[in-house]
Amino acid sequence: RDPSDAQARRDVGLGFHYIAEAQAAAHDPVGALESFRRQMAIKEALAKAEPQSTLHRRDLATAYMRAGAMLRELGNPNAIEYALRSHRVFERLLEEDPNHVEIRRRAAQGMYLLAQLLTERKQAEEARVLMTRALAIQHAEATKPGALGNRIAEYAWSLLTCHPADLRDPAAGLVHARRAADLTKRQDP
């Protein structure tokens, strides 16, 4: 493959993402971290080569977020570094296009992760600010006319599991979980 072919490089990065996820599922954290690092190196190079590309920067922020989530699951203190990297990239993307649906969704997911990590570090006020913002983004997406079931379900889950815990709203979470289920008529296709 031509190394200057951005789509081919993006595909290779995605391949490393899937390898990392499989390694994590197979309880190979060392291998998973190496695969995530390889993916991030590709995503960083693509974002640097095409700094105007929303897609490459979104992919990079998502890769940082997933690496941070995996490191958190492993109890690795470096998790917050990746969550912060992800957050910074998503913040720039939101400044450029505050209405981009997929960026808003992923940015909210990143805020959720960062709020978890900050809560674990006893930084509840910083966590509260981020989680309140994430919930507002998710609420806006989940309550739009024609909202997708997965967006509604994500919001319901956040209402049940967010950090700090005093922001949780099980009653509202149940309402939204039922809305998501009703979209499928509660049947497995």
Side-chain angles (χ1 to χ4, degrees), residues 93-94 96-104 141 144:
L93 290 168
L94 285 171
E96 294 168 15
D97 188 355
N99 298 314
H100 190 293
V101 174
E102 190 58 24
I103 290 172
R104 287 170 54 83
E141 295 302 319
K144 281 183 180 176

Side-chain angles (χ1 to χ4, degrees), residues 4-173:
S4 65
D5 181 348
Q7 183 58 51
R9 295 186 76 204
R10 186 171 183 259
D11 290 346
V12 171
L14 187 59
F16 280 116
H17 169 82
Y18 292 131
I19 291 168
E21 293 289 348
Q23 289 169 315
H27 307 288
D28 177 11
V30 174
L33 286 174
E34 179 55 30
S35 294
F36 271 123
R37 284 189 186 107
R38 292 180 75 181
Q39 176 200 20
M40 285 184 286
I42 291 169
K43 302 297 184 186
E44 287 169 346
L46 287 169
K48 184 176 179 182
E50 295 181 49
Q52 75 288 354
S53 171
T54 299
L55 178 64
H56 294 324
R57 291 180 294 146
R58 184 192 75 192
D59 285 353
L60 176 60
T62 302
Y64 287 151
M65 178 176 49
R66 183 57 194 122
M70 193 188 78
L71 288 169
R72 179 184 174 272
E73 290 168 17
L74 297 171
N76 187 315
N78 293 326
I80 197 155
E81 292 174 30
Y82 287 100
L84 285 167
R85 286 182 193 178
S86 174
H87 183 66
R88 285 191 292 269
V89 175
F90 276 127
E91 283 298 303
R92 287 191 294 274
L93 290 168
L94 285 171
E95 286 173 12
E96 294 168 15
D97 188 355
N99 298 314
H100 190 293
V101 174
E102 190 58 24
I103 290 172
R104 287 170 54 83
R105 176 177 174 252
R106 292 186 191 191
Q109 291 170 342
M111 289 176 209
Y112 179 100
L113 171 64
L114 188 52
Q116 279 182 309
L117 291 163
L118 289 169
T119 299
E120 290 165 5
R121 290 172 166 244
K122 311 293 187 224
Q123 295 173 279
E125 283 313 306
E126 294 92 335
R128 180 179 314 289
V129 169
L130 278 172
M131 197 65 240
T132 299
R133 188 163 166 226
L135 289 170
I137 290 170
Q138 289 180 325
H139 177 266
E141 295 302 319
T143 57
K144 281 183 180 176
L148 298 174
N150 68 332
R151 301 294 162 48
I152 299 168
E154 283 177 3
Y155 179 51
W157 184 250
S158 292
L159 288 168
L160 298 172
T161 62
C162 67
H163 298 275
D166 64 328
L167 292 175
R168 294 176 186 169
D169 187 344

